[in-house]
Amino acid sequence: ITSSFAQIVDEILAEYFAVQGQEKLLATNTFTTKGKIIQGQFEIPFTSFQKRPMKFRSEAEFQGMKIVSAFDGEIGWSINPMSGATEPMPMTAEQVDRMKIQADYDGMFYNYADKGYTIELLGTEPVDDIATYVLQLTRPNGDIITSYIDAENFVILKTKAKMKMQGVETEAETIFSNYKYIDDILVPFSIETKMN
Protein backbone atom coordinates (compact mmCIF):
# COMPACT_ATOMS: atom_id res chain seq x y z
CA ILE A 1 0.00 0.00 0.00
CA THR A 2 2.79 2.42 0.91
CA SER A 3 4.52 2.06 -2.46
CA SER A 4 1.27 2.64 -4.39
CA PHE A 5 0.56 5.77 -2.29
CA ALA A 6 4.12 6.97 -2.99
CA GLN A 7 3.50 6.36 -6.70
CA ILE A 8 0.26 8.40 -6.57
CA VAL A 9 2.14 11.24 -4.81
CA ASP A 10 4.80 11.17 -7.54
CA GLU A 11 2.09 11.21 -10.25
CA ILE A 12 0.36 14.22 -8.64
CA LEU A 13 3.70 16.05 -8.35
CA ALA A 14 4.59 15.22 -11.98
CA GLU A 15 1.33 16.89 -13.10
CA TYR A 16 1.96 19.80 -10.73
CA PHE A 17 5.52 20.33 -12.09
CA ALA A 18 4.25 20.21 -15.68
CA VAL A 19 1.63 22.92 -14.98
CA GLN A 20 4.06 25.06 -12.94
CA GLY A 21 6.66 25.13 -15.70
CA GLN A 22 9.24 23.41 -13.48
CA GLU A 23 11.53 22.60 -16.43
CA LYS A 24 11.62 26.27 -17.39
CA LEU A 25 12.31 27.22 -13.75
CA LEU A 26 15.18 24.72 -13.59
CA ALA A 27 16.76 26.49 -16.59
CA THR A 28 16.79 29.87 -14.78
CA ASN A 29 19.22 31.18 -12.15
CA THR A 30 17.52 34.28 -10.79
CA PHE A 31 13.93 35.23 -10.01
CA THR A 32 12.62 38.66 -8.93
CA THR A 33 9.19 39.30 -7.43
CA LYS A 34 7.63 42.74 -6.94
CA GLY A 35 4.39 43.48 -5.19
CA LYS A 36 2.77 45.02 -2.17
CA ILE A 37 1.84 43.69 1.23
CA ILE A 38 -1.57 44.89 2.39
CA GLN A 39 -1.96 44.83 6.15
CA GLY A 40 -5.01 46.62 7.51
CA GLN A 41 -5.01 50.06 5.85
CA PHE A 42 -1.29 49.95 5.11
CA GLU A 43 0.29 49.10 1.77
CA ILE A 44 3.94 48.08 1.92
CA PRO A 45 5.74 47.79 -1.43
CA PHE A 46 8.36 45.03 -1.58
CA THR A 47 10.84 43.40 -3.93
CA SER A 48 12.34 39.96 -3.38
CA PHE A 49 15.29 38.44 -5.19
CA GLN A 50 16.16 34.75 -5.46
CA LYS A 51 19.35 33.27 -6.85
CA ARG A 52 20.56 29.72 -7.15
CA PRO A 53 21.22 27.67 -5.20
CA MET A 54 19.73 29.08 -1.94
CA LYS A 55 20.14 32.85 -1.91
CA PHE A 56 17.26 35.16 -0.99
CA ARG A 57 16.84 38.86 -0.26
CA SER A 58 13.72 40.92 0.31
CA GLU A 59 13.37 44.68 0.64
CA ALA A 60 10.25 46.50 1.80
CA GLU A 61 9.56 50.14 2.50
CA PHE A 62 7.22 51.37 5.22
CA GLN A 63 6.77 55.00 6.26
CA GLY A 64 10.15 55.92 4.80
CA MET A 65 11.91 53.02 6.54
CA LYS A 66 13.61 50.21 4.64
CA ILE A 67 13.16 46.67 5.97
CA VAL A 68 15.64 44.14 4.60
CA SER A 69 16.09 40.42 5.15
CA ALA A 70 18.75 38.35 3.44
CA PHE A 71 20.01 34.78 3.37
CA ASP A 72 23.11 33.40 1.63
CA GLY A 73 22.33 29.70 2.01
CA GLU A 74 23.82 29.47 5.49
CA ILE A 75 23.67 32.81 7.29
CA GLY A 76 20.71 35.17 7.53
CA TRP A 77 20.49 38.78 8.65
CA SER A 78 17.90 41.53 8.74
CA ILE A 79 17.50 45.28 9.17
CA ASN A 80 14.19 46.31 10.72
CA PRO A 81 14.04 49.93 11.93
CA MET A 82 10.48 49.28 13.20
CA SER A 83 11.92 47.01 15.89
CA GLY A 84 14.85 49.35 16.54
CA ALA A 85 17.38 47.46 14.39
CA THR A 86 18.94 50.01 12.02
CA GLU A 87 22.07 47.89 11.51
CA PRO A 88 22.17 44.32 10.11
CA MET A 89 21.22 41.85 12.86
CA PRO A 90 21.98 38.11 12.60
CA MET A 91 18.94 35.85 12.37
CA THR A 92 18.27 33.19 14.97
CA ALA A 93 18.69 29.51 14.01
CA GLU A 94 14.87 29.30 13.84
CA GLN A 95 14.63 32.29 11.46
CA VAL A 96 17.42 30.82 9.29
CA ASP A 97 15.47 27.55 9.09
CA ARG A 98 12.37 29.46 7.87
CA MET A 99 14.50 31.28 5.29
CA LYS A 100 15.52 27.91 3.85
CA ILE A 101 11.90 27.43 2.74
CA GLN A 102 11.75 30.90 1.13
CA ALA A 103 15.16 30.54 -0.50
CA ASP A 104 14.41 27.08 -1.94
CA TYR A 105 14.58 28.12 -5.59
CA ASP A 106 12.89 25.03 -7.03
CA GLY A 107 10.15 24.83 -4.39
CA MET A 108 9.71 22.47 -1.47
CA PHE A 109 8.20 19.64 -3.57
CA TYR A 110 11.10 19.36 -6.02
CA ASN A 111 13.54 16.60 -4.94
CA TYR A 112 11.76 16.62 -1.57
CA ALA A 113 13.34 13.35 -0.35
CA ASP A 114 16.86 14.75 -0.94
CA LYS A 115 15.92 17.63 1.39
CA GLY A 116 14.91 15.19 4.11
CA TYR A 117 11.19 15.83 3.65
CA THR A 118 8.47 13.19 3.61
CA ILE A 119 5.18 13.59 1.72
CA GLU A 120 1.99 11.74 2.48
CA LEU A 121 -1.27 11.76 0.51
CA LEU A 122 -4.05 12.39 3.05
CA GLY A 123 -6.81 11.95 0.47
CA THR A 124 -9.07 14.42 -1.32
CA GLU A 125 -11.01 17.36 0.07
CA PRO A 126 -13.06 20.18 -1.47
CA VAL A 127 -11.77 23.77 -1.24
CA ASP A 128 -14.55 26.19 -2.24
CA ASP A 129 -16.28 23.36 -4.16
CA ILE A 130 -13.06 22.46 -6.02
CA ALA A 131 -11.79 18.90 -5.53
CA THR A 132 -8.21 18.88 -4.23
CA TYR A 133 -5.50 16.37 -3.44
CA VAL A 134 -4.27 16.91 0.11
CA LEU A 135 -0.51 16.41 0.44
CA GLN A 136 1.16 16.63 3.84
CA LEU A 137 4.86 17.52 3.81
CA THR A 138 6.88 17.01 7.00
CA ARG A 139 10.27 18.68 7.42
CA PRO A 140 13.08 17.17 9.56
CA ASN A 141 12.44 19.78 12.30
CA GLY A 142 8.80 18.65 12.66
CA ASP A 143 7.18 21.47 10.63
CA ILE A 144 4.10 20.20 8.81
CA ILE A 145 2.92 21.93 5.63
CA THR A 146 -0.33 20.63 4.16
CA SER A 147 -1.02 21.60 0.54
CA TYR A 148 -4.38 21.47 -1.22
CA ILE A 149 -3.74 20.92 -4.95
CA ASP A 150 -6.55 21.44 -7.45
CA ALA A 151 -7.27 17.91 -8.74
CA GLU A 152 -8.05 19.18 -12.25
CA ASN A 153 -5.69 22.13 -12.79
CA PHE A 154 -2.85 21.05 -10.48
CA VAL A 155 -2.22 24.41 -8.81
CA ILE A 156 -1.96 24.92 -5.06
CA LEU A 157 -5.16 26.56 -3.80
CA LYS A 158 -4.07 26.76 -0.18
CA THR A 159 -1.59 25.53 2.40
CA LYS A 160 -1.85 25.04 6.15
CA ALA A 161 1.42 25.23 8.06
CA LYS A 162 1.99 24.02 11.59
CA MET A 163 5.36 25.07 13.01
CA LYS A 164 7.00 26.06 16.26
CA MET A 165 8.04 29.70 16.60
CA GLN A 166 10.02 30.60 19.73
CA GLY A 167 8.82 27.35 21.28
CA VAL A 168 5.13 28.05 20.59
CA GLU A 169 3.20 26.00 18.02
CA THR A 170 1.85 28.37 15.38
CA GLU A 171 -0.63 27.70 12.60
CA ALA A 172 -0.95 29.67 9.37
CA GLU A 173 -3.26 29.29 6.41
CA THR A 174 -2.23 30.69 3.02
CA ILE A 175 -4.57 31.04 0.04
CA PHE A 176 -3.12 31.30 -3.49
CA SER A 177 -5.06 32.73 -6.44
CA ASN A 178 -4.92 34.79 -9.64
CA TYR A 179 -2.32 32.54 -11.27
CA LYS A 180 -0.54 33.88 -14.35
CA TYR A 181 2.31 32.63 -16.51
CA ILE A 182 5.50 34.69 -16.65
CA ASP A 183 8.00 33.32 -19.17
CA ASP A 184 6.17 29.95 -19.00
CA ILE A 185 6.45 29.77 -15.18
CA LEU A 186 3.15 29.83 -13.29
CA VAL A 187 2.99 32.36 -10.44
CA PRO A 188 0.17 33.26 -8.02
CA PHE A 189 -0.40 37.03 -8.18
CA SER A 190 -2.45 37.00 -4.98
CA ILE A 191 -1.34 35.36 -1.70
CA GLU A 192 -3.36 35.79 1.49
CA THR A 193 -2.02 34.55 4.83
CA LYS A 194 -3.98 34.16 8.06
CA MET A 195 -2.14 33.38 11.30
CA ASN A 196 -3.93 31.32 13.99
Short mmCIF file of all heavy atoms in Angstrom, two decimals, residues 124-132 134 148 157-158:
data_model
loop_
_atom_site.label_atom_id
_atom_site.label_comp_id
_atom_site.label_asym_id
_atom_site.label_seq_id
_atom_site.Cartn_x
_atom_site.Cartn_y
_atom_site.Cartn_z
N THR A 124 -8.54 13.29 -0.55
CA THR A 124 -9.07 14.42 -1.32
C THR A 124 -10.02 15.20 -0.42
O THR A 124 -10.60 14.66 0.52
CB THR A 124 -9.83 13.95 -2.58
OG1 THR A 124 -10.88 13.08 -2.17
CG2 THR A 124 -8.90 13.24 -3.54
N GLU A 125 -10.14 16.49 -0.73
CA GLU A 125 -11.01 17.36 0.07
C GLU A 125 -11.42 18.56 -0.78
O GLU A 125 -10.58 19.10 -1.51
CB GLU A 125 -10.21 17.83 1.30
CG GLU A 125 -11.05 18.44 2.40
CD GLU A 125 -10.20 18.83 3.61
OE1 GLU A 125 -9.46 17.97 4.12
OE2 GLU A 125 -10.29 20.00 4.01
N PRO A 126 -12.68 19.00 -0.68
CA PRO A 126 -13.06 20.18 -1.47
C PRO A 126 -12.56 21.48 -0.84
O PRO A 126 -12.55 21.62 0.38
CB PRO A 126 -14.59 20.14 -1.47
CG PRO A 126 -14.96 19.35 -0.26
CD PRO A 126 -13.82 18.43 0.04
N VAL A 127 -12.11 22.42 -1.68
CA VAL A 127 -11.77 23.77 -1.24
C VAL A 127 -12.63 24.69 -2.10
O VAL A 127 -12.43 24.75 -3.32
CB VAL A 127 -10.26 24.08 -1.43
CG1 VAL A 127 -9.97 25.55 -1.15
CG2 VAL A 127 -9.41 23.19 -0.54
N ASP A 128 -13.60 25.36 -1.49
CA ASP A 128 -14.55 26.19 -2.24
C ASP A 128 -15.15 25.43 -3.42
O ASP A 128 -15.13 25.90 -4.57
CB ASP A 128 -13.88 27.48 -2.74
CG ASP A 128 -13.45 28.38 -1.59
OD1 ASP A 128 -14.10 28.34 -0.54
OD2 ASP A 128 -12.45 29.10 -1.76
N ASP A 129 -15.63 24.22 -3.16
CA ASP A 129 -16.28 23.36 -4.16
C ASP A 129 -15.34 22.83 -5.25
O ASP A 129 -15.78 22.28 -6.24
CB ASP A 129 -17.47 24.07 -4.83
CG ASP A 129 -18.58 24.39 -3.83
OD1 ASP A 129 -18.72 23.62 -2.85
OD2 ASP A 129 -19.27 25.40 -4.01
N ILE A 130 -14.03 23.01 -5.06
CA ILE A 130 -13.06 22.46 -6.02
C ILE A 130 -12.41 21.25 -5.37
O ILE A 130 -11.90 21.33 -4.24
CB ILE A 130 -11.99 23.52 -6.39
CG1 ILE A 130 -12.65 24.72 -7.09
CG2 ILE A 130 -10.91 22.92 -7.28
CD1 ILE A 130 -11.75 25.93 -7.22
N ALA A 131 -12.42 20.12 -6.06
CA ALA A 131 -11.79 18.90 -5.53
C ALA A 131 -10.28 19.10 -5.48
O ALA A 131 -9.68 19.59 -6.44
CB ALA A 131 -12.13 17.71 -6.40
N THR A 132 -9.67 18.75 -4.35
CA THR A 132 -8.21 18.88 -4.23
C THR A 132 -7.59 17.61 -3.68
O THR A 132 -8.22 16.86 -2.94
CB THR A 132 -7.80 20.04 -3.28
OG1 THR A 132 -8.17 19.71 -1.93
CG2 THR A 132 -8.41 21.36 -3.68
N VAL A 134 -4.85 16.34 -1.10
CA VAL A 134 -4.27 16.91 0.11
C VAL A 134 -2.94 16.20 0.38
O VAL A 134 -2.89 15.01 0.69
CB VAL A 134 -5.23 16.74 1.32
CG1 VAL A 134 -4.65 17.43 2.55
CG2 VAL A 134 -6.61 17.31 0.99
N TYR A 148 -3.13 21.88 -0.56
CA TYR A 148 -4.38 21.47 -1.22
C TYR A 148 -4.22 21.80 -2.70
O TYR A 148 -4.24 22.96 -3.10
CB TYR A 148 -5.56 22.21 -0.60
CG TYR A 148 -5.76 21.88 0.86
CD1 TYR A 148 -4.93 22.44 1.84
CD2 TYR A 148 -6.74 20.99 1.26
CE1 TYR A 148 -5.09 22.12 3.18
CE2 TYR A 148 -6.91 20.66 2.61
CZ TYR A 148 -6.08 21.24 3.56
OH TYR A 148 -6.23 20.92 4.89
N LEU A 157 -4.11 25.60 -4.16
CA LEU A 157 -5.16 26.56 -3.80
C LEU A 157 -4.91 27.12 -2.41
O LEU A 157 -5.16 28.29 -2.15
CB LEU A 157 -6.54 25.91 -3.85
CG LEU A 157 -6.99 25.39 -5.22
CD1 LEU A 157 -8.39 24.80 -5.13
CD2 LEU A 157 -6.94 26.50 -6.27
N LYS A 158 -4.42 26.25 -1.51
CA LYS A 158 -4.07 26.76 -0.18
C LYS A 158 -3.10 25.82 0.52
O LYS A 158 -2.95 24.65 0.12
CB LYS A 158 -5.32 26.99 0.68
CG LYS A 158 -5.97 25.74 1.26
CD LYS A 158 -7.08 26.12 2.24
CE LYS A 158 -7.76 24.87 2.79
NZ LYS A 158 -8.83 25.18 3.74
#
